[in-house]
C-alpha cells in the first residue's frame, strides 16, 4: 500500500525566504513521487516528479525536491519565495499502476 | 494544446437528486481519471479508464456513482442519488499512456458540487 504524509497543513514564509514543504511517503515497492500545486479555483499542475533517476529533481518555477530513501522523504524546496507561490501544494505517490495517492496538502502563504 | 475541459464548473443540488459531470481529456490521451477532492483533503481516485475500459474503480461507491467513457474520449460521471457527503470538487485528469507508466497526469479545473 502507498501513502504520503505532509507535515504542516499551513506554512507561512516571508517573500524572499526559503520555502520548505515536507512530505514523507510509505510504499511497499519503489515509489514514484510527485509534487502538484493548486491555485484557487484551478486544477492541479505538476511541479516535478521523481521516477528513480536522479534523486535531486528540478521542477518548474524554481522548485526542487530531493528523494531520500533512508528517510522516506521527498521534501519540496525553493530558495526564495515569491508572492505568486502562494497556493496549495500536494505530494503524491504512485507505485506501478499510475494511480496517485495524494497527501492532505500544505497551504503556503507568502508574507510581503 | 487545449487542456482538460470539465463542465459544469459549479453545481448545487438537493440531496437525493441526481447530477452528472462531463470531462473532455487532452486529445490523444488514452487514460482518463476521475478524482474526488473533499474540502481540506487531497484528491482521491474514483475511477481510471484506459481507452474505454475500466482499469480501477475500487474506490467508486457503485451503489450511487457511475461513470462511462464511450468511444474512449469524453467521459461522464454520475451521482444518483446524491448525499450530503458527496459535496466536493470532482477533478478529471488525463495522461498519454497510463497503466504502469509515470506519465504526467493533466488535471482539469474541476466541478464544485454542493449538496444541500
Amino acid at each position: 500500500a502507498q501513502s504520503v504524509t505532509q507535515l504542516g497543513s499551513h506554512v507561512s514564509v516571508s517573500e524572499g525566504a526559503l520555502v520548505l514543504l515536507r512530505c514523507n511517503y510509505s510504499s511497499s515497492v519503489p515509489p514514484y513521487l510527485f509534487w502538484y500545486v493548486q491555485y484557487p479555483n484551478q486544477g492541479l499542475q505538476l511541479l516535478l516528479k521523481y521516477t528513480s533517476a536522479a534523486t535531486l529533481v528540478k521542477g518548474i518555477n524554481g522548485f526542487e525536491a530531493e528523494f531520500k530513501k533512508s528517510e522516506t522523504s521527498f521534501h519540496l524546496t525553493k530558495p526564495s519565495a515569491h508572492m505568486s507561490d502562494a497556493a496549495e501544494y500536494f505530494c503524491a505517490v504512485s507505485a506501478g499502476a499510475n494511480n496517485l495517492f495524494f497527501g492532505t496538502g500544505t497551504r503556503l502563504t507568502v508574507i510581503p | 494544446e487545449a487542456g482538460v475541459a470539465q463542465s459544469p464548473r459549479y453545481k448545487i443540488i438537493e440531496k437525493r437528486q441526481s447530477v452528472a459531470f462531463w470531462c473532455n481529456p487532452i486529445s490523444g490521451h488514452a487514460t482518463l481519471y476521475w478524482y474526488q477532492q473533499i474540502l481540506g483533503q487531497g484528491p482521491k481516485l474514483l475511477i481510471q479508464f484506459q481507452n474505454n475500459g475500466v482499469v480501477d474503480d475500487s474506490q467508486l461507491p457503485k451503489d450511487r456513482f457511475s461513470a462511462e467513457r464511450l468511444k474512449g474520449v469524453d467521459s461522464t460521471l454520475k451521482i444518483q442519488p446524491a448525499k450530503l457527503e458527496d459535496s466536493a470538487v470532482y477533478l478529471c485528469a488525463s495522461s498519454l499512456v497510463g497503466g504502469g507508466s509515470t506519465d504526467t497526469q493533466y488535471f482539469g479545473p474541476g466541478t464544485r458540487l454542493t449538496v444541500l
Side-chain angles (χ1 to χ4, degrees), chain A residues 32 34 36 38 41-44 46 49 51 90 96-100 102-104, chain B residues 9 33 35 37 42-43 45 48 56 91 98 100-105 107-109:
Chain A
Y32 302 128
F34 306 78
Y36 279 84
Q38 186 175 35
N41 299 315
Q42 294 186 28
L44 283 75
L46 181 70
K49 61 181 178 181
T51 58
F90 291 93
N98 206 32
N99 294 349
L100 292 176
F102 286 88
T104 52
Chain B
R9 291 294 312 276
Y33 314 79
Y35 288 86
Q37 185 178 16
L45 179 71
Q48 177 184 349
D56 183 355
L91 295 165
S101 75
T102 57
D103 270 4
T104 297
Q105 293 186 26
F107 284 79

Side-chain angles (χ1 to χ4, degrees), chain B residues 10-21 79-84 86-87 112-116:
Chain B
Y10 304 91
K11 189 73 176 179
I12 300 174
I13 61 172
E14 303 273 339
K15 61 183 178 182
R16 291 187 290 274
Q17 287 185 322
S18 62
V19 64
F21 313 126
I79 307 175
Q80 181 179 11
K83 293 185 175 182
L84 295 177
D86 298 331
S87 294
R112 183 178 298 276
L113 173 66
T114 301
V115 182
L116 303 176

Side-chain angles (χ1 to χ4, degrees), chain A residues 18 29 32 36 50 71 87 101 109:
Chain A
L18 171 71
V29 298
Y32 302 128
Y36 279 84
Y50 166 76
E71 299 177 7
F101 294 87
T109 300

Side-chain angles (χ1 to χ4, degrees), chain A residues 9-10 88 90 103-107, chain B residues 37-43 112:
Chain A
S9 58
H10 292 88
E88 185 129 26
F90 291 93
T104 52
T106 297
R107 183 170 300 278
Chain B
Q37 185 178 16
I38 293 173
L39 185 65
Q41 300 181 19
R112 183 178 298 276

